[in-house]
């Protein structure tokens, strides 16, 4: 078997990779009858030379490979017929902008497995960048808030590391603000880690919703049972909410009225309640001045997130009077939004190593052993150009119906 690490083709660019040079060399030594090779790339966090120095073959195209690994969606014209691809596809939730990608994969008789759905028998993800998104999301959000206040933190470079980020967070003067984090998954865990790195005080619920001013930077992490309530007044039930989100309504205002900075990290279903409508900022006189939307659900549960942002330009302003986008930091009356949808890319070296460490036991070793384990089957949306049984609900979507 030959496995290839493809060059990223999506714009804006992403410089993460599924395996570092040392990880590829490790697997090539472990499976000498097979080979993992790398497509040349000028944007990858690890250079072609770093792979060659580890004895890895770097090539111009991936035609000779059986299975291909990327990070973000591959450009349609780069897809090679008949291959098996792995990347984050953003298809299974029927994302309209990627309908042509699904159609192309089916037309080219591809097999496609989505990293997002690599889960164990309990449905828990086994390979994810979520924790890193949380860490970087906090850093970008605090940097944006400080820029709004006329100060700043260093902008991450291509080779920025977690150690450097921790040093900045632990030494830089921080504002006296209340920060609300939503969610309890890996992303929220990463945000909590970053908050503690910058010496933030974790508040109790009563402390957060109090009108008493805080002495320094502080935060509260609200879980889903605190953010929504059943419309009929019955008690919250997690399984019921997952199966029937339309039976719930938002209970978010009790937090929003005491929040200076909002960092959404929760999973959101389009049938679930909206937490923050655009007009709420003025209607409820909300103090929120900065939103670090790590979820980046465009016009989702946080309606002021009207488009994704990029690492080059992470911020834009939302004007609560006109409900329109404006230039970042153009008015203190605006809400500044951070909506980078590839946050871990700011720590591409560390995040890639972490991701590869998870992929090796769950994906790479099984494939190189000639296996097709359930964890890969559960993530396979298209097989030989046809939707798999689990994802058959995408049939109408794939036909544009």
């Amino acid at each position: 078997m030959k496995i290839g690490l493809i060059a990223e083709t999506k714009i804006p660019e992403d410089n993460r990779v599924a395996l570092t040079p040392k990880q590829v060399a490790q697997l090539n030594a472990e499976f000498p009858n097979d080979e993992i090779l790398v497509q040349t790339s000028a944007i990858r966090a690890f250079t072609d030379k770093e792979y060659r120095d580890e004895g890895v073959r770097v090539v111009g195209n991936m035609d000779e490979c059986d299975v291909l690994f990327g990070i973000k969606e591959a450009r349609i014209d780069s897809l090679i017929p008949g291959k098996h691809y792995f990347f984050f596809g953003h298809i299974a939730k029927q994302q309209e902008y990627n309908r042509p990608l699904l159609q192309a994969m089916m037309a080219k008789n591809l097999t496609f497995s989505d990293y997002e759905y690599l889960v164990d028998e309990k449905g828990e993800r086994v390979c994810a960048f979520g924790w890193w998104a949380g860490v970087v999301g906090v850093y970008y959000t605090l940097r944006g808030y400080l820029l709004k206040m006329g100060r700043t933190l260093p902008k991450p470079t291509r080779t920025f590391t977690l150690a450097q980020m921790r040093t900045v967070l632990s030494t830089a003067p921080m504002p006296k603000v209340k920060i609300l984090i939503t969610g309890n998954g890996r992303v929220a865990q990463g945000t909590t880690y970053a908050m503690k790195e910058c010496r933030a005080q974790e508040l109790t619920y009563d402390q957060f919703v109090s009108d008493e001013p805080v002495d320094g930077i502080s935060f509260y992490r609200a879980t889903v049972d605190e953010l929504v309530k059943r419309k009929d007044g019955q008690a919250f039930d997690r399984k019921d909410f997952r199966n029937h989100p339309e039976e719930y309504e938002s209970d978010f205002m009790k937090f929003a009225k005491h929040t200076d900075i909002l960092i959404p990290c929760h999973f959101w279903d389009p049938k679930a309640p909206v937490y923050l409508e655009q007009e709420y900022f003025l209607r409820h006189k909300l103090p929120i001045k900065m939103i670090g939307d790590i979820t980046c659900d465009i016009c989702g549960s946080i309606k002021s997130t009207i488009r994704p942002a990029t690492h080059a330009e992470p911020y834009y302003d939302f004007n609560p009077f006109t409900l329109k986008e404006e230039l970042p930091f153009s008015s203190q009356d605006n809400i500044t939004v951070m909506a980078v949808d590839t946050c871990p890319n700011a720590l591409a070296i560390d995040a890639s190593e972490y991701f590869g460490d998870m992929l090796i036991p769950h994906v790479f070793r099984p494939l190189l052993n000639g296996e097709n384990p359930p964890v890969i089957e559960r993530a396979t949306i298209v097989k030989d150009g046809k939707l798999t049984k689990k994802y058959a609900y995408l049939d109408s979507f794939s036909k544009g119906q």
Side-chain angles (χ1 to χ4, degrees):
M1 175 177 284
K2 289 187 178 180
I3 293 176
L5 305 184
I6 61 176
E8 294 298 312
T9 54
K10 185 176 181 179
I11 303 298
E13 68 185 37
D14 194 304
N15 54 22
R16 290 171 291 172
V17 69
L19 291 172
T20 69
K22 290 188 181 299
Q23 289 169 336
V24 176
Q26 169 196 334
L27 287 169
N28 280 341
E30 188 176 338
F31 296 91
N33 294 324
D34 304 296
E35 184 183 16
I36 300 176
L37 49 155
V38 176
Q39 187 173 19
T40 183
S41 171
I43 65 170
R44 194 178 283 129
F46 298 94
T47 65
D48 289 353
K49 182 180 183 301
E50 288 177 287
Y51 282 99
R52 290 192 181 103
D53 287 347
E54 292 290 340
V56 179
R57 188 154 61 99
V58 179
V59 298
N61 66 66
M62 298 270 94
D63 291 350
E64 63 185 291
C65 295
D66 306 294
V67 188
L68 301 172
F69 286 81
I71 296 297
K72 303 298 286 186
E73 305 99 308
R75 199 174 61 224
I76 289 175
D77 63 8
S78 74
L79 296 173
I80 306 172
K83 304 297 185 182
H84 185 172
Y85 280 85
F86 283 79
F87 51 74
F88 287 106
H90 303 290
I91 286 171
K93 297 176 186 175
Q94 304 183 59
Q95 291 95 323
E96 183 64 34
Y97 65 95
N98 271 342
R99 187 201 306 267
L101 176 61
L102 175 59
Q103 292 171 332
M105 290 194 291
M106 296 175 71
K108 295 188 178 190
N109 295 316
L110 299 183
T111 295
F112 169 62
S113 302
D114 195 320
Y115 292 137
E116 187 171 355
Y117 301 98
L118 290 169
V119 297
D120 61 21
E121 60 278 1
K122 296 180 181 179
E124 296 293 326
R125 291 179 65 179
V126 298
C127 303
F129 283 107
W131 186 88
W132 298 87
V135 173
V136 174
V138 167
Y139 188 88
Y140 271 161
T141 302
L142 290 175
R143 184 172 180 270
Y145 186 85
L146 289 171
L147 281 168
K148 193 179 182 78
M149 299 298 118
R151 296 157 53 196
T152 190
L153 297 176
K155 185 174 183 178
T157 64
R158 177 172 165 175
T159 57
F160 213 60
T161 65
L162 178 60
Q164 289 174 287
M165 192 168 283
R166 289 177 60 192
T167 298
V168 174
L169 289 174
S170 63
T171 57
M174 291 294 166
K176 295 181 179 181
V177 289
K178 281 184 177 179
I179 299 174
L180 180 68
I181 297 167
T182 63
N184 57 356
R186 284 192 177 96
V187 180
Q189 291 165 13
T191 61
T192 301
Y193 171 89
M195 293 305 305
K196 291 181 177 178
E197 285 295 311
C198 63
R199 314 170 309 284
Q201 177 188 2
E202 185 168 7
L203 302 177
T204 65
Y205 171 83
D206 289 337
Q207 288 173 323
F208 191 87
V209 299
S210 167
D211 291 326
E212 291 296 317
V214 291
D215 293 331
I217 185 170
S218 59
F219 74 99
Y220 181 75
R221 196 168 96 183
T223 53
V224 65
D225 57 306
E226 298 174 296
L227 296 167
V228 300
K229 58 185 178 182
R230 277 193 62 94
K231 293 177 181 178
D232 59 10
Q234 295 184 34
F236 174 88
D237 180 89
R238 187 173 299 276
K239 183 177 180 181
D240 179 63
F241 177 65
R242 186 165 56 246
N243 294 330
H244 304 286
E246 68 279 1
E247 299 296 327
Y248 290 76
E249 61 186 4
S250 171
D251 198 18
F252 183 68
M253 279 303 111
K254 65 187 181 188
F255 293 111
K257 293 177 180 178
H258 302 279
T259 299
D260 300 305
I261 299 176
L262 171 63
I263 304 181
C265 304
H266 57 272
F267 172 81
W268 185 69
D269 186 306
K271 297 179 182 178
V274 170
Y275 295 148
L276 195 55
E277 295 282 3
Q278 291 182 340
E279 62 270 20
Y280 285 3
F281 293 100
L282 295 182
R283 183 190 302 174
H284 299 284
K285 298 180 179 179
L286 300 181
I288 299 171
K289 289 300 179 184
M290 181 81 204
I291 298 178
D293 195 347
I294 304 175
T295 67
C296 205
D297 289 316
I298 305 307
C299 292
S301 63
I302 309 296
K303 294 298 185 184
S304 52
T305 303
I306 53 181
R307 68 167 176 86
T310 66
H311 290 273
E313 298 180 354
Y315 312 106
Y316 56 86
D317 273 10
F318 174 78
N319 185 320
F321 296 92
T322 65
L323 308 183
K324 302 292 185 181
E325 177 184 340
E326 293 186 358
L327 292 174
F329 320 117
S330 53
S331 171
Q332 290 297 324
D333 293 328
N334 288 345
I335 293 84
T336 298
V337 178
M338 188 291 297
V340 176
D341 63 352
T342 58
C343 276
N345 204 36
L347 294 174
I349 291 175
D350 289 329
S352 295
E353 181 178 8
Y354 172 86
F355 195 55
D357 282 343
M358 292 187 291
L359 284 175
I360 286 171
H362 292 292
V363 176
F364 281 102
R365 283 202 182 102
L367 284 175
L368 291 165
N369 279 319
E371 304 168 8
N372 185 34
V375 69
I376 294 179
E377 284 189 6
R378 285 188 283 265
T380 301
I381 295 176
V382 178
K383 186 173 179 61
D384 299 327
K386 300 184 184 302
L387 292 169
T388 59
K389 183 177 179 180
K390 179 180 177 181
Y391 299 95
Y393 68 89
L394 291 171
D395 183 61
S396 295
F397 175 71
S398 71
K399 296 174 180 175
Q401 298 174 353

